[in-house]
Amino acid sequence: MRIGILGATGLVGRETLELVARAWPGCELELYASRDQQLDLNGKRYAVRAAASLEDSKAPRGDLAFVALDDEHSKRYVPHLLELGYRVVDKSNTFRGDPKVPLVTAGVNSNRVDDSVRLVANPNCTTIPLTLALQPLHKEYGLESLSVSTYQAVSGAGIAALDGFLEASQRGYANPDRLGTSFDPKAYAGNTVPHNGGTDDSGFSSEERKLVFESKKILELPELGISAQCCRVAVAVGHYENAWITFERRVDLDEITAILSDAERAPFVRFLPGAAGEGLSSVASVRDRDRALVGRLRRDPRDATQRTICLTVVADNLRLGAATNAVRIGSRWFASKDFELQA
Ligand SMILES: NC(=O)c1ccc[n+]([C@@H]2O[C@H](COP(=O)([O-])OP(=O)(O)OC[C@H]3O[C@@H](n4cnc5c(N)ncnc54)[C@H](OP(=O)(O)O)[C@@H]3O)[C@@H](O)[C@H]2O)c1
């Protein structure tokens, strides 16, 4: 079996490389990035080729490819991979809106991936954990509407942004300034900033629109009332989301606890009981990288009909929010040797 990883030197590509070795040990790897180079990872050295070599008519054919490139480069290389016989999981935004391309959260709508499908879009890093928490509750109570507020880690912006953030944080916190005014008010270090890239006439940013659009597509609820507000916080890895969710009928908190604690009904979810949210944090998600941490379950006191809850969802954006979900999608075509990575 030959597996290709495009963007292998990036944050998501590196995680994908580690997971591929767990899911399909012994597979042949073809790694691609912007140019020919070597990648040193976990004591191993890998040869990486320029992705442009895929445009050569003699490029090697393959079975399964994971694409962790920006939108522009996904658009350029995915068609070549398909021509070379690869089944493709693309992690960019390029194909998510295409009605012919399944958008899949493993454990929610994995059944959309069968032998007839050759290209699958991997959802955004906030959509994956949110839909894992919503789907089992929707099955039981029927989703009516929700509001989500996200607190997203800097690694979501890629390796260069993360490295810049780590360096600026070190410099900023080295300064004994209790107000934090030595930090740049427009930058990530020591700061909370709006996730406002691609804000359009609606007033919402592309990140906010993605979360709304993708949740409706995955849950197959085109009329779902959903609104999102996103920001970035000074955290390296681990996206945190607070949601207010209204169902069609009255909910029972003990029943919700039972549903979200059941691995069959709520796959890839780890429910943390207790309104205080003990064990729930960005850093905690990086220690339990392949599941959505869900907790802080409470009733919303504004809703006298008792149909609305408050819930927190946290996940490692590089793993569950990207690489793990992609590998689980791949496991629908080629069974994973690692049960944790099988969808
Ligand atoms: N980070 C997250 O939390 C996250 C979560 C979900 C989805 N995603 C999506 O996954 C994709 C990758 O994100 P990332 O965070 O891993 O980005 P990243 O760390 O910035 O890595 C980008 C990758 O793209 C490669 N690249 C850059 N220019 C290229 C070119 N001209 N031709 C071929 N390859 C090129 C880079 O190779 P070089 O090293 O050679 O420059 C690197 O391997 C994006 O679409 C992103 O939106 C990211």
Side-chain angles (χ1 to χ4, degrees), residues 60-136:
R61 294 179 65 79
D63 302 294
L64 177 59
F66 297 99
V67 182
L69 300 173
D70 62 18
D71 294 358
E72 180 198 342
H73 291 98
S74 276
K75 198 170 173 184
R76 175 170 165 189
Y77 293 117
V78 167
H80 289 289
L81 291 165
L82 293 169
E83 271 174 34
L84 291 167
Y86 285 95
R87 290 179 189 271
V88 179
V89 183
D90 181 64
K91 303 186 201 185
S92 78
N93 189 43
T94 312
F95 302 98
R96 293 177 189 159
D98 184 336
K100 296 189 294 301
V101 178
L103 178 66
V104 174
T105 298
V108 172
N109 61 342
S110 324
N111 59 359
R112 297 294 310 272
V113 190
D114 60 26
D115 268 354
S116 69
V117 172
R118 304 211 66 92
L119 169 63
V120 175
N122 202 61
N124 192 30
C125 38
T126 50
T127 313
I128 293 166
L130 183 68
T131 48
L132 279 169
L134 290 177
Q135 168 81 342

Side-chain angles (χ1 to χ4, degrees), residues 26-305:
C27 70
E28 197 182 321
L29 285 170
E30 294 283 345
L31 308 183
Y32 298 95
S34 68
R35 54 182 172 80
D36 288 348
Q37 59 195 284
Q38 286 185 326
L39 170 66
D40 293 313
L41 190 65
N42 299 331
K44 279 194 183 171
R45 175 160 288 188
Y46 299 89
V48 178
R49 280 194 275 179
S53 66
L54 285 163
E55 291 171 329
D56 186 323
S57 57
K58 292 195 210 75
R61 294 179 65 79
D63 302 294
L64 177 59
F66 297 99
V67 182
L69 300 173
D70 62 18
D71 294 358
E72 180 198 342
H73 291 98
S74 276
K75 198 170 173 184
R76 175 170 165 189
Y77 293 117
V78 167
H80 289 289
L81 291 165
L82 293 169
E83 271 174 34
L84 291 167
Y86 285 95
R87 290 179 189 271
V88 179
V89 183
D90 181 64
K91 303 186 201 185
S92 78
N93 189 43
T94 312
F95 302 98
R96 293 177 189 159
D98 184 336
K100 296 189 294 301
V101 178
L103 178 66
V104 174
T105 298
V108 172
N109 61 342
S110 324
N111 59 359
R112 297 294 310 272
V113 190
D114 60 26
D115 268 354
S116 69
V117 172
R118 304 211 66 92
L119 169 63
V120 175
N122 202 61
N124 192 30
C125 38
T126 50
T127 313
I128 293 166
L130 183 68
T131 48
L132 279 169
L134 290 177
Q135 168 81 342
L137 302 180
H138 169 59
K139 276 191 190 160
E140 188 64 30
Y141 303 109
L143 259 180
E144 187 176 286
S145 64
L146 72 148
S147 306
V148 194
S149 187
T150 74
Y151 308 85
Q152 298 181 220
V154 176
S155 54
I159 199 162
L162 178 60
D163 289 349
F165 161 75
L166 293 176
E167 202 204 316
S169 302
Q170 214 167 14
R171 266 188 278 114
Y173 286 120
N175 199 341
D177 166 12
R178 287 183 171 144
L179 291 181
T181 47
S182 58
F183 289 106
D184 177 350
K186 291 196 292 306
Y188 297 135
N191 211 358
T192 301
V193 295
H195 203 316
N196 57 3
T199 298
D200 70 5
D201 290 345
S202 71
F204 288 90
S205 66
S206 63
E207 191 76 359
E208 291 161 344
R209 298 196 305 277
K210 281 181 209 170
L211 186 50
V212 167
F213 168 81
E214 294 175 16
S215 300
K216 291 181 184 187
K217 180 169 173 178
I218 294 163
L219 297 168
E220 295 178 20
L221 293 171
E223 304 304 324
L224 180 67
I226 169 168
S227 182
Q229 296 202 71
C230 302
C231 65
R232 270 208 209 282
V233 291
V235 164
V237 180
H239 289 352
Y240 194 104
E241 305 176 57
N242 281 333
W244 292 256
I245 312 165
T246 302
F247 297 95
E248 286 163 1
R249 60 186 189 85
R250 184 186 177 280
V251 296
D252 180 282
L253 296 192
D254 290 339
E255 208 171 62
I256 290 182
T257 297
I259 293 169
L260 292 176
S261 305
D262 180 340
E264 299 231 325
R265 294 170 88 182
F268 310 134
V269 165
R270 178 172 154 84
F271 183 74
L272 298 156
E278 188 138 348
L280 205 58
S281 71
S282 304
V283 174
S285 77
V286 186
R287 295 180 178 195
D288 198 352
R289 309 192 71 189
D290 302 322
R291 284 186 286 185
L293 306 185
V294 181
R296 291 220 75 199
L297 171 63
R298 286 145 295 153
R299 284 195 188 285
D300 185 331
R302 295 171 300 177
D303 181 3
T305 64

Side-chain angles (χ1 to χ4, degrees), residues 17-29:
L17 186 50
E18 280 188 39
L19 294 176
V20 160
R22 273 172 51 190
W24 302 285
C27 70
E28 197 182 321
L29 285 170

